[in-house]
Amino acid sequence: MDEFKSCNLDYFPENILIDVLSYLSVRELVRAGRVCKKWKRLVKDQRLWRTVDLTAWKGVTSRILWVLLRQYLGCGLRCLRLRGLLLSARGGTFLSESWLRALSTKCPRLSKLYLLHADLRGLPNCQILPLSLRVLELRGCELPCGFFSQSLPNSPAHPHDRAEATSSVGAPQQGRGQKGKGSVSPLGICIERLVLNNVPSFRDQHLQSLTSWEKLSHLELRDTFRVTANGLRSCAAKDGVSGVEGLSRLKFLEIGITGRQGYQLQMASLGLGAGWLGLEELSLGGKEVGPGLLCASRLKDLKRLCLWTCTLSELQIVRSCRMLRGLRQLEFLDVIFQPRQSPPVDDEEGGGGEEQDGVEGAGAGPDSYEENRTLDDPFPSLRRSLAVLLPSCTLAFTNCSVQMNTD
């Protein structure tokens, strides 16, 4: 018993101590580093700084960011999450060009950056961000007009800054630049996934700038109220004079509006009617589901379709999916289904119970629908209809429900 009483943390291997420290937040890690010299050395271990989340630390300022970058952040950083001062009473500049340049120099392996409530209007464009980024997620941020535009290889815009950043990062970044010299310019943006959630300042001009991103394959637009159908149509991947133009490398596109009621007539997803070459996955949510389904039949390469947070009728789904013969997965997330032959649905669709689109219509009324429902299969009528139209398609229902008529 006396041996156990005298036991302290010095008896544990450093690997175990690092695992214990990994459960602490960034603020707690900094405080733990002030205990003793040994803990200070352990806290600076790069295994603890691979994923850094500063969104829960509300008191973060630009001064604290500089301290973290100089003393703790390093080559081990892979993912960084920051909360800006856009909604803070203090206000002020949060991200500066000098800090971002130092970040790209000190952390050459940073691949994912998440910014929450950040005011980016003080930055010239996104080329000031680390060149190693592959994923950029913006939520509730403010953007300047030309934020997503990139300079040409021979453009004089910030040549000294780029040369300094490239030379000071070291061998890993220089090798990456030489490797991609044949396909991607040294000044090219290598971001593959861009997520925009509740960014009101994002508009058609920003979307048009994304056509110059040679690596972009995943684009999510949630509550981007100023994107119009014409803007989406002009950026669609289509055959042009010099080959495929627009967002030619895009494989996944998400459009959804679930917020403000005043923007319900925007219907940006109508731009999908231009056809989108190479688009394999489409996600529609909220008020964009209805117009998006009207144009989904023009997407010949579509393999996966996800519909979320909306109210749909069975007849609407069947009519829209009739032309999607190449569909392999159809997913419904938080969807409220209206049974076929429901009076409000018939009036809304413009066709009564006479037209069934060549799909099985018997037993689809509200009474028989309720009788056929089971715990294992709550949507029997919809499954049977889609099984006839899309025999190779897999259906997935998550948190879905059926709206029955009270009459």
Side-chain angles (χ1 to χ4, degrees):
M1 293 297 295
D2 295 336
E3 295 180 358
F4 289 103
K5 289 181 180 179
S6 62
C7 180
N8 53 35
L9 292 178
D10 293 335
Y11 285 88
F12 292 93
E14 292 189 355
N15 289 335
I16 296 181
L17 293 178
I18 291 176
D19 291 338
V20 174
L21 292 174
S22 64
Y23 290 94
L24 301 180
S25 63
V26 176
R27 192 172 187 178
E28 294 170 341
L29 274 178
V30 174
R31 291 178 176 177
R34 302 170 183 169
V35 173
C36 61
K37 292 183 178 180
K38 179 179 180 180
W39 280 38
K40 182 178 180 179
R41 178 173 54 83
L42 292 177
V43 165
K44 289 187 177 182
D45 191 288
Q46 287 301 300
R47 285 174 288 182
L48 297 174
W49 300 95
R50 290 180 179 177
T51 301
V52 177
D53 188 358
L54 296 175
T55 56
W57 190 352
K58 297 183 180 180
V60 175
T61 60
S62 57
R63 177 180 173 275
I64 295 178
L65 288 181
W66 276 110
V67 172
L68 292 176
L69 182 60
R70 289 168 179 168
Q71 298 186 12
Y72 300 100
L73 302 183
C75 60
L77 184 63
R78 300 294 193 274
C79 176
L80 179 61
R81 300 169 65 90
L82 298 175
R83 176 193 292 269
L85 304 176
L86 189 61
L87 302 181
S88 175
R90 296 173 297 154
T93 304
F94 184 69
L95 294 178
S96 61
E97 295 185 36
S98 58
W99 189 85
L100 289 173
R101 285 197 296 267
L103 178 67
S104 61
T105 302
K106 190 78 178 296
C107 309
R109 299 178 181 178
L110 179 63
S111 60
K112 182 176 181 180
L113 180 61
Y114 172 89
L115 299 178
L116 173 64
H117 300 160
D119 190 354
L120 306 178
R121 289 173 292 186
L123 302 179
N125 51 47
C126 62
Q127 284 186 286
I128 200 67
L129 299 176
L131 293 172
S132 58
L133 282 185
R134 295 297 178 267
V135 179
L136 177 61
E137 185 172 349
L138 306 177
R139 181 173 182 179
C141 299
E142 285 291 341
L143 306 176
C145 294
F147 183 74
F148 295 107
S149 60
Q150 60 176 337
S151 306
L152 297 176
N154 56 355
S155 174
H158 305 285
H160 176 71
D161 296 341
R162 282 298 170 184
E164 181 182 355
T166 305
S167 60
S168 58
V169 165
Q173 188 168 351
Q174 292 177 3
R176 182 177 58 82
Q178 295 175 359
K179 181 179 179 180
K181 187 177 298 183
S183 57
V184 182
S185 63
L187 292 178
I189 298 175
C190 298
I191 295 177
E192 301 173 358
R193 177 177 178 179
L194 178 62
V195 180
L196 297 165
N197 192 343
N198 192 18
V199 182
S201 56
F202 187 84
R203 56 186 71 230
D204 291 343
Q205 291 82 349
H206 295 100
L207 188 62
Q208 185 65 38
S209 300
L210 296 179
T211 56
S212 62
W213 291 23
E214 300 183 10
K215 295 292 186 178
L216 186 63
S217 61
H218 186 114
L219 178 61
E220 298 183 21
L221 304 176
R222 289 199 178 195
D223 290 340
T224 51
F225 306 109
R226 289 181 171 85
V227 175
T228 64
N230 291 332
L232 200 65
R233 189 179 297 110
S234 63
C235 298
K238 48 187 175 294
D239 291 326
V241 179
S242 58
V244 181
E245 299 176 350
L247 293 171
S248 57
R249 295 183 179 270
L250 201 64
K251 300 299 181 182
F252 177 92
L253 176 63
E254 178 173 316
I255 308 175
I257 292 182
T258 58
R260 307 177 186 178
Q261 298 294 329
Y263 294 90
Q264 57 187 4
L265 299 179
Q266 195 70 18
M267 296 186 294
S269 55
L270 285 176
L272 298 173
W276 206 302
L277 297 179
L279 188 63
E280 298 180 355
E281 300 183 26
L282 176 64
S283 179
L284 299 172
K287 300 178 180 67
E288 295 292 348
V289 174
L293 285 177
L294 294 176
C295 306
S297 60
R298 302 292 301 274
L299 305 176
K300 304 301 182 183
D301 300 324
L302 193 64
K303 299 293 188 301
R304 177 179 177 270
L305 177 61
C306 179
L307 308 175
W308 46 274
T309 317
C310 59
T311 301
L312 294 172
S313 65
E314 292 187 31
L315 190 59
Q316 184 180 5
I317 299 172
V318 169
R319 285 177 173 177
S320 302
C321 296
R322 167 183 289 184
M323 303 301 296
L324 300 177
R325 298 296 181 179
L327 203 63
R328 293 296 177 265
Q329 182 177 356
L330 180 58
E331 182 179 356
F332 300 95
L333 177 63
D334 294 325
V335 176
I336 300 177
F337 292 99
Q338 295 177 343
R340 194 181 301 176
Q341 293 183 357
S342 177
V345 177
D346 291 341
D347 295 340
E348 189 178 272
E349 296 293 338
E354 300 176 0
E355 183 182 13
Q356 297 297 333
D357 294 328
V359 184
E360 175 185 1
D367 297 337
S368 59
Y369 190 91
E370 180 68 24
E371 293 176 359
N372 294 332
R373 286 182 61 197
T374 62
L375 294 177
D376 296 334
D377 191 2
F379 315 105
S381 178
L382 179 60
R383 288 183 184 273
R384 289 197 301 267
S385 301
L386 293 178
V388 175
L389 294 175
L390 307 172
S392 302
C393 182
T394 302
L395 301 181
F397 299 89
T398 306
N399 296 332
C400 297
S401 60
V402 177
Q403 179 182 356
M404 303 303 298
N405 295 329
T406 57
D407 295 341

